[in-house]
Amino acid sequence: MSSAPARSPVSEVSDYIRGWAKSLVDAGLVSAPGKQWEVLAEAPAAAPSPAPDDFWVSASLSGGLNGEIAFRMSRADARRIAGEKEENGHPLTPENQSRVLDIFRNAAGVMSRQRQGADIQLQIEVAATPAWPVAARYWLRVAPPSTLLMEISTNEMLVAGLQTISVADVSARDASPEKLGMLMDVELVVTMRFGGRRMLLKDILDLCTGSVVELDQQVQAPVDLLLDGKVIARGEVVVVDGNYGLRVTDLLADH
């Protein structure tokens, strides 16, 4: 039986962008029945040039996948997404910015769970024109009656991470038992994560001996075991011969 054709690194990137597009449309980016949409690898003829009043949303990825992705839309499209009926020439109000961000955050929640075993965090915020060089650019086009055109750009770090995942998947499928046997004595570093939190720069600079940093995880909550930034298991903290240890209670299926 022939195996399925290997996915190319380029298709991994384009599929990731399509995942974002579908998640955004499903989250309410447009309200038209049917929601006909497509992702284009080249700018359509109707694509507007960047303008000073464009509305930008950025997504910063960390954890199992790192990088930046930016979404550019016209102010008029951003207003329609927020539910405004008319263009009044003024910037979006904070309330309407929040409505747009809610859609992106809902989509980000879906995308953060897209890869089992990869603990991906996504930070969504209103942004300015990205300062980083664009490594890949796509366009999301929504068909009438709710016409919308959105530019989606990624940086090199995200593209490289997606391509690495693609190559690793192909290597895993092609690996024979003999080849895997050659790797069984390779040592890998695993880490235990008790929790985390976001801190303001001024709070970090104020740290001193005796400072207490509260994490976002309860004492009784399971602890994550990570390999190369990906969660492979969870369990309970134990002490073994004076050292911390982990009693595994949950192995992730795709570890």
Side-chain angles (χ1 to χ4, degrees), residues 11-252:
S11 68
E12 189 72 34
V13 176
S14 61
D15 283 356
Y16 184 73
I17 299 299
R18 287 188 177 88
W20 264 104
K22 183 180 187 305
S23 298
L24 285 168
V25 172
D26 290 346
L29 191 69
V30 291
S31 57
K35 300 178 181 178
Q36 298 297 318
W37 58 272
E38 60 181 336
V39 172
L40 307 173
E42 296 183 2
S49 300
D53 61 352
D54 283 341
F55 189 78
W56 289 86
V57 175
S58 70
S60 300
L61 295 87
S62 59
L65 186 62
N66 296 277
E68 302 284 340
I69 183 168
F71 306 84
R72 178 176 72 89
M73 67 204 84
S74 69
R75 183 176 61 186
D77 281 343
R79 288 186 182 281
R80 285 196 292 271
I81 293 170
E84 289 191 19
K85 302 299 183 183
E86 297 180 0
E87 169 65 50
N88 58 21
H90 298 296
L92 265 70
T93 64
E95 180 182 2
N96 284 335
Q97 288 188 19
S98 180
R99 289 174 181 170
V100 176
L101 288 181
D102 283 345
I103 292 173
F104 279 85
R105 287 179 179 131
N106 289 337
V110 175
M111 295 304 295
S112 67
R113 300 187 297 271
Q114 188 185 51
R115 301 181 183 280
Q116 294 187 6
D119 186 25
I120 301 172
Q121 292 88 46
L122 278 152
Q123 179 71 25
I124 304 294
E125 59 188 1
V126 175
T129 304
W132 37 262
V134 173
R137 180 181 283 113
Y138 294 82
W139 291 85
L140 167 61
R141 180 167 62 186
V142 180
S146 291
T147 303
L148 179 143
L149 197 57
M150 179 187 297
E151 178 186 332
I152 306 176
S153 306
T154 69
N155 71 345
E156 182 60 38
M157 181 180 292
L158 179 56
V159 170
L162 290 168
Q163 291 175 342
T164 299
I165 290 172
S166 175
V167 172
D169 287 346
V170 172
S171 299
R173 286 195 299 269
D174 293 343
S176 64
E178 293 78 11
K179 292 179 180 178
L180 288 175
M182 298 171 61
L183 303 175
M184 289 304 164
D185 291 330
V186 175
E187 291 188 354
L188 303 175
V189 177
V190 295
T191 57
M192 288 170 55
R193 183 173 61 195
F194 292 83
R197 68 166 298 167
R198 289 185 174 274
M199 297 179 64
L200 298 175
L201 176 59
K202 67 181 183 65
D203 294 332
I204 294 175
L205 295 176
D206 287 340
L207 289 176
C208 60
T209 302
S211 297
V212 176
V213 178
E214 181 181 356
L215 303 181
D216 60 359
Q217 190 153 313
Q218 297 293 319
V219 174
Q220 67 273 19
V223 174
D224 294 334
L225 184 68
L226 294 90
L227 173 63
D228 192 26
K230 297 181 180 180
V231 179
I232 60 173
R234 294 186 174 91
E236 303 169 350
V237 177
V238 296
V239 177
V240 182
D241 296 332
N243 296 322
Y244 283 117
L246 181 74
R247 179 182 291 114
V248 175
T249 59
D250 182 21
L251 274 175
L252 299 191

